Amino acid sequence: MITSILKQLGTLLISLLGLTVLTFILSQQSDSPIHQYQSDSAFIQYFEYIQFLFNGDWGMSSIHKRSVLKDFLQHFPATIELIVFAMILAVTTGLALGILASTRRGGWLDNTLMTTSLIGYSMPIFWWGMLLVLLFSLTLGWTPVAGRISFEFDIEPFTRFMLIDTLLHHNKYGFDAFLNALHHLILPAVTLSTIPMAIIARMTRSSLLAVLKSEYIRTARSKGISKQRIIWIHALRNALQPILTISGVQISIIMSGVIITEYIFAWPGIGKWLLEAVSRRDFASIQGGVLALSIIVIAFNLVLDFLSIYLNPRLRRPS
């Protein structure tokens, strides 16, 4: 197990090294320098660049004339709130649909669920988001069109996580503000979670079907163990490793999809901030935003790798 963990940490360090080298090279191509270096040597400048990053100096935004790191941290909670909600929705719904399809293999329910998941996977996120807005916001009026909360609520951004901040204002608004913020969150989260949900559903089905063909599952059936217990206790645990692996890939898809989603729903997060930076050629913000989002993706995948090692006994055996 220790060997597996050390390998994952080594991969993390190599990924971070490559990422910082890439962002350093890109920063050198900017018309106006993001940092002032003391040396003329590119090799030494790279180590100065690393020192700047560790000291929290990620450059100054040419748009807002503020620290890029402060700008990022200001918009980051809105994006994390959306991503976490979307990921929870994708994993729980995807797992449920995949398990349901695997228990009805070859039937009309299995075919319907897998066809629907294929359509969800194939759908462009910008088109899907606008279609949801047209249907549920403009036609039916069930959900808000944009934003994180209605203007009638004056919420002080203590944590900048809207769901938490609305609960902190419980004495002022009761649960009305919280429910309003949750109402605003539903449609962007559904838009963002659709593709990962479809992929997780299909992976869960195929992984679970492979496990259900195993010898130990046939033995459990011969002992008279109920179908529900076999699936939930014996089969699902062993089917989780490829599901966790594919979930790690989905966080990358969600990170790229969040930019489009935030633009469609005017969600004041990192994606919308980065699009503004790109349109106004704010290279410091672009570099800082890409670097920070990439670090988050790498860290998230590392956590999933550790979880896979914990769940899979074969990976815990010393090599």
Side-chain angles (χ1 to χ4, degrees):
M1 183 175 180
I2 295 177
T3 304
S4 299
I5 292 176
L6 290 177
K7 286 181 179 178
Q8 297 300 331
L9 290 175
T11 303
L12 170 67
L13 291 176
I14 293 173
S15 299
L16 290 177
L17 177 64
L19 179 63
T20 53
V21 168
L22 178 61
T23 54
F24 170 72
I25 293 174
L26 291 176
S27 70
Q28 301 295 89
Q29 310 306 313
S30 173
D31 297 333
S32 56
I34 297 174
H35 296 101
Q36 298 295 329
Y37 299 103
Q38 297 181 357
S39 174
D40 294 330
S41 168
F43 182 75
I44 297 177
Q45 284 183 358
Y46 171 74
F47 288 100
E48 291 183 37
Y49 171 71
I50 296 297
Q51 186 176 6
F52 282 130
L53 295 181
F54 274 108
N55 291 335
D57 182 4
W58 291 33
M60 296 292 293
S61 168
S62 61
I63 301 174
H64 306 291
K65 306 301 180 183
R66 292 194 303 262
S67 164
V68 168
L69 185 58
K70 288 183 178 179
D71 267 357
F72 178 86
L73 294 176
Q74 180 179 342
H75 294 87
F76 184 61
T79 296
I80 284 296
E81 194 168 56
L82 176 57
I83 287 175
V84 168
F85 198 83
M87 202 63 192
I88 291 173
L89 187 62
V91 171
T92 54
T93 309
L95 277 173
L97 294 178
I99 293 170
L100 187 60
S102 67
T103 59
R104 304 288 191 276
R105 183 185 180 186
W108 68 268
L109 184 59
D110 179 25
N111 294 330
T112 301
L113 290 175
M114 289 303 99
T115 301
T116 304
S117 68
L118 182 61
I119 294 172
Y121 174 73
S122 307
M123 206 173 300
I125 191 171
F126 64 90
W127 182 84
W128 178 234
M130 290 187 290
L131 185 64
L132 290 177
V133 170
L134 179 63
L135 177 60
F136 291 103
S137 298
L138 301 180
T139 304
L140 298 176
W142 290 356
T143 58
V145 176
R148 296 180 74 190
I149 197 167
S150 298
F151 293 112
E152 63 199 73
F153 299 103
D154 182 21
I155 303 297
E156 188 72 22
F158 295 117
T159 67
R160 297 192 182 278
F161 292 97
M162 187 60 71
L163 294 180
I164 297 176
D165 288 339
T166 52
L167 289 176
L168 294 177
H169 286 75
H170 176 264
N171 293 334
K172 186 176 181 181
Y173 296 112
F175 286 105
D176 291 343
F178 174 79
L179 294 175
N180 186 272
L182 192 62
H183 199 204
H184 279 75
L185 183 58
I186 291 174
L187 212 56
V190 169
T191 302
L192 191 57
S193 67
T194 300
I195 293 178
M197 183 193 305
I199 295 174
I200 291 172
R202 297 181 70 86
M203 177 57 70
T204 301
R205 176 187 179 275
S206 60
S207 179
L208 202 53
L209 286 175
V211 172
L212 289 173
K213 295 177 182 177
S214 303
E215 184 65 34
Y216 77 94
I217 294 295
R218 288 196 289 268
T219 303
R221 284 172 178 161
S222 67
K223 291 181 178 180
I225 300 177
S226 67
K227 185 177 181 179
Q228 290 76 14
R229 183 175 178 82
I230 288 175
I231 291 175
W232 292 100
I233 303 298
H234 299 283
L236 187 57
R237 180 187 176 99
N238 292 300
L240 277 179
Q241 187 186 352
I243 299 171
L244 287 174
T245 302
I246 202 67
S247 296
V249 177
Q250 300 318 300
I251 194 64
S252 303
I253 295 176
I254 281 184
M255 281 294 187
S256 59
V258 78
I259 297 176
I260 301 173
T261 303
E262 288 186 356
Y263 178 76
I264 293 172
F265 293 95
W267 193 266
I270 297 300
K272 190 168 179 291
W273 172 66
L274 274 176
L275 279 180
E276 181 185 4
V278 170
S279 65
R280 300 178 66 174
R281 298 175 63 83
D282 185 355
F283 291 107
S285 295
I286 296 170
Q287 173 197 285
V290 170
L291 177 63
L293 289 178
S294 301
I295 290 173
I296 293 169
V297 171
I298 292 171
F300 183 84
N301 279 277
L302 182 67
V303 171
L304 287 181
D305 288 339
F306 286 159
L307 190 57
S308 296
I309 292 172
Y310 173 76
L311 291 174
N312 192 338
R314 290 173 297 180
L315 296 178
R316 298 203 299 268
R317 294 171 187 167
S319 56

